Amino acid sequence: MGRRVYGVCMATVSSPDGLPVVDPTRERVDRFLEAADVAGEDSLGPFPLSERSATMETLAANAVMAGCEASYFPVVLAALNATLEPEFNLYGTLATTEPHWPMVVVNGPIVDDLDINGGANAFGQGSKPNATIGRALTFVYMNVAGATPGPTDKATHGGPHKFGLCVAENEAESPWEPLHVERGFDEDDSTVTVLTTEAPHNVNDHVADSAAGVLTTAADTMSVLGANTTYLSERAEPCLALSPEHAATIARDGYSKDDVKRFVYDHARVSHEELRDQGMYDTRDGSRPSHVPASDLPDDAGVPICRSPADPVVFVAGGAGRHSLFLSSFGDSRAVTRRIQRIR
Amino acid sequence: MTDQDEEILNPFADEVEAKGTVLADRLSTVGDARIGLFSNTKKNADHFLRKVGERLEADHAAEVSEVVYKDVATSAADEAVYEQLREYDAVLIAYGDCGSCSSWTMHDAFQLEEAGVPTVVFCTEEFTTLCQYEAENQGVPGLPIVEIDHPIADLSPEAVASERVTDDVLTAVTEALTNDAGTLQELYKGKYTDAASSELA
């Protein structure tokens, strides 16, 4: 028997992202299924946009192609499952002209077990699990969910994060409780938190020596006329990935993570006057789109980028250096955290 | 087992089985019908709809509603909006002119069709493939998607009325409201997806 192929000749079809892929052989796929302790014929249910369901075997084939190790597959499944929650709005995210795409933040003991990078260059190259877990999600969104750049994934520009974006929280260097504990899980749980994000924007502050100093720079970076969260603020969860150094400076002033979020809510604002008739808010000819939270405010009022002080998502990541990152949300999307079910 | 003998697995999902969803019964005539105008809040969608409504009133004596809005283009409409729209004999939805708003516009149309309300979706030419891909994969391949020129967001309301609400658009709307489901399926199935079929998963 020659090379057996289902439905597609691997030798002639380009890979989903244009980079070389690993052949999803039966032996490799079976090892992935065993690592996650799932049955090959089971599925997570239908994926938008295609409304097609893929078996675990098919999902594993995509993770193999993306270059994952078998031990990463439980993380991939937990992340895929999390993005299928209705409040995540995968239906809108995969089709949007915006550059937003799912990002995975991993917490808990699995970070060390799999050596997922939450330190220096965590959002960049150099770590196999970081590079391939996010890539596996992208493959599934393309091969199963039907998000084809051009016809159905309508991103105007896309972005490098759409090749796949997965990081760990740098829990060891965080002065606060980890993201998954804040979101209701035990410290010993391993979890994924999925968020919609565009490519990260730097928050450079080399001179601030106080919480208010660092967070003033962060809040200014987060409140710009071009960000989705400035307009789709009703459900937005703007995300701030603080570096360990910035986090330490903030915590030294006695700030809890709730205080950080409150500062962002209070200070990451655009004045109503500046906001009107920009971006996604038009009052000029009696037509929608409107900005419901802003419309009743006076001109000089600051319009927040989310509905409440509880909405910003804050975690610690990165290595040495006085930089943090703003991860602007799609806006009409809520972060979802799920326990990673199985580790072998 | 040598490399040449290895079984390679398929990374694609099986095509979705038709759910048997059918289009709502269409109108016998546009004349005297109560037509709901439904904006997804995209820029100029309401101006576009009002002009289409004016033409339907003038040409067919249809009874056309004020524009009904949902809260935000990037999600489904609230149930209260669907409830309001279910009171009409047919609903015109405008429009898809970006990715997420196109997807959720189609979702809104599916909800109304399933509730027995015939709908027409307007979509700019850049997004008709996405809309029809979703219609075909959600079992409504004949859902009428009327194509309009792109872009439309930076036009004045007057230009929207004169340049986008054309006679061809009005003819397509009338056909979409009155042709039977089988005819609409013939008219629309693959109309915007066939050219991209080699790229679509």
Side-chain angles (χ1 to χ4, degrees):
Chain A
M1 187 181 78
R3 191 168 154 114
R4 187 175 164 197
V5 173
Y6 286 101
V8 58
C9 176
M10 298 299 295
T12 58
V13 168
S14 60
S15 84
D17 64 3
L19 295 169
V21 298
V22 176
D23 273 353
T25 62
R26 165 62 64 193
E27 183 272 335
R28 289 174 180 139
V29 167
D30 284 348
R31 276 196 292 110
F32 277 46
L33 296 172
E34 185 183 359
D37 195 24
V38 291
E41 65 274 19
D42 286 349
S43 95
L44 297 178
F47 281 76
L49 315 162
S50 70
E51 294 305 315
R52 294 177 191 174
S53 297
T55 62
M56 292 290 179
E57 188 173 278
T58 298
L59 299 176
N62 281 280
V64 169
M65 289 171 64
C68 289
E69 298 289 343
S71 56
Y72 307 167
F73 190 45
V75 185
V76 172
L77 286 180
L80 287 170
N81 201 27
T83 64
L84 290 173
E85 289 296 329
E87 65 264 33
F88 186 76
N89 197 357
L90 190 64
Y91 188 47
T93 304
L94 296 185
T96 184
T97 47
E98 320 276 1
H100 299 88
W101 199 246
M103 172 180 80
V104 183
V105 181
V106 187
N107 279 96
I110 200 170
V111 169
D112 287 339
D113 293 345
L114 300 185
D115 200 20
I116 303 172
N117 187 13
N121 207 44
F123 286 74
Q125 79 285 14
S127 164
K128 185 170 184 177
N130 294 52
T132 59
I133 290 170
R135 190 184 186 210
L137 266 64
T138 293
F139 280 19
V140 170
Y141 297 142
M142 295 179 72
N143 285 337
V144 175
T148 303
T152 51
D153 170 352
K154 299 300 297 182
T156 304
H157 299 97
H161 57 300
K162 293 183 72 173
F163 282 90
L165 183 52
C166 172
V167 300
E169 180 165 27
N170 189 342
E171 295 180 25
E173 295 193 84
S174 170
W176 304 299
E177 63 184 5
L179 183 64
H180 67 311
V181 175
E182 177 196 341
R183 295 174 69 85
F185 291 84
D186 292 336
E187 199 166 356
D188 291 338
D189 286 333
S190 291
T191 66
V192 290
T193 299
V194 293
L195 310 97
T196 55
T197 185
E198 60 188 45
H201 192 296
N202 195 31
V203 179
N204 177 345
D205 197 318
H206 279 74
V207 301
D209 55 5
S210 67
V214 172
L215 290 172
T216 295
T217 303
D220 184 80
T221 309
M222 297 172 82
S223 49
V224 291
L225 288 176
N228 276 35
T229 41
T230 301
Y231 305 95
L232 299 171
S233 56
E234 282 283 86
R235 283 169 28 86
E237 293 179 306
C239 181
L240 180 62
L242 290 165
S243 70
E245 291 184 27
H246 276 169
T249 300
I250 294 166
R252 192 174 62 199
D253 278 354
Y255 274 52
S256 67
K257 203 195 281 189
D258 281 347
D259 294 331
V260 173
K261 295 177 167 197
R262 163 62 75 175
F263 192 103
V264 167
Y265 176 75
D266 286 342
H267 295 273
R269 297 190 175 205
V270 182
S271 77
H272 189 194
E273 186 176 21
E274 194 181 355
L275 189 63
R276 185 181 292 115
D277 301 331
Q278 300 295 145
M280 298 173 78
Y281 176 28
D282 200 344
T283 62
R284 289 168 295 181
D285 55 21
S287 167
R288 305 286 176 97
S290 65
H291 193 302
V292 174
S295 54
D296 293 333
L297 296 175
D299 277 1
D300 61 351
V303 180
I305 62 171
C306 50
R307 191 180 184 123
S308 87
D311 289 329
V313 175
V314 176
F315 68 101
V316 174
R322 302 199 67 78
H323 304 274
S324 291
L325 294 175
F326 169 41
L327 299 145
S328 177
S329 161
F330 177 56
D332 196 351
S333 169
R334 302 293 289 182
V336 177
T337 302
R338 288 287 176 270
R339 186 180 288 108
I340 298 166
Q341 294 292 352
R342 182 82 181 180
I343 308 164
R344 284 190 179 176
Chain B
M1 180 180 283
T2 68
D3 187 53
Q4 287 301 307
D5 294 329
E6 283 191 305
E7 178 184 359
I8 303 295
L9 300 190
N10 181 7
F12 299 104
D14 291 335
E15 284 196 27
V16 70
E17 288 184 25
K19 287 187 282 190
T21 309
V22 294
L23 290 175
D25 290 340
R26 314 322 268 188
L27 306 174
S28 55
T29 173
V30 178
D32 298 327
R34 292 173 304 123
I35 309 288
L37 305 180
F38 178 28
S39 162
N40 64 357
T41 75
K42 291 309 296 283
K43 174 70 175 172
N44 282 331
D46 38 17
H47 295 308
F48 176 86
L49 284 167
R50 287 191 192 102
K51 185 62 183 178
V52 173
E54 280 176 26
R55 293 284 305 271
L56 291 177
E57 286 176 329
D59 298 348
H60 300 280
E63 181 184 333
V64 177
S65 79
E66 296 294 312
V67 176
V68 175
Y69 295 93
K70 61 179 181 178
D71 285 343
V72 62
T74 46
S75 284
D78 289 341
E79 178 54 33
V81 173
Y82 293 140
E83 190 177 334
Q84 184 180 355
L85 293 169
R86 283 196 294 267
E87 297 300 315
Y88 296 102
D89 298 324
V91 170
L92 311 182
I93 312 179
Y95 35 63
D97 78 332
C98 74
S100 51
C101 71
S102 294
S103 286
W104 284 111
T105 294
M106 295 305 292
H107 175 91
D108 292 334
F110 301 149
Q111 307 314 303
L112 292 167
E113 290 282 348
E114 285 187 11
V117 181
T119 63
V120 180
V121 170
F122 297 101
C123 183
T124 66
E125 59 200 322
E126 294 290 340
F127 298 93
T128 45
T129 301
L130 168 66
C131 286
Q132 192 156 66
Y133 178 76
E134 291 171 353
E136 290 172 350
N137 281 282
Q138 297 196 37
V140 201
L143 196 144
I145 300 163
V146 174
E147 188 171 73
I148 51 181
D149 288 350
H150 185 90
I152 191 168
D154 66 344
L155 299 185
S156 68
E158 295 74 25
V160 168
S162 63
E163 296 174 20
R164 295 295 184 267
V165 185
T166 62
D167 289 345
D168 286 347
V169 165
L170 265 295
T171 299
V173 169
T174 306
E175 289 178 353
L177 290 174
T178 55
N179 277 322
D180 61 64
T183 305
L184 287 176
Q185 181 148 335
E186 284 177 23
L187 280 173
Y188 281 97
K189 188 175 188 308
K191 180 173 183 178
Y192 308 115
T193 50
D194 281 354
S197 60
S198 64
E199 301 174 70
L200 296 171

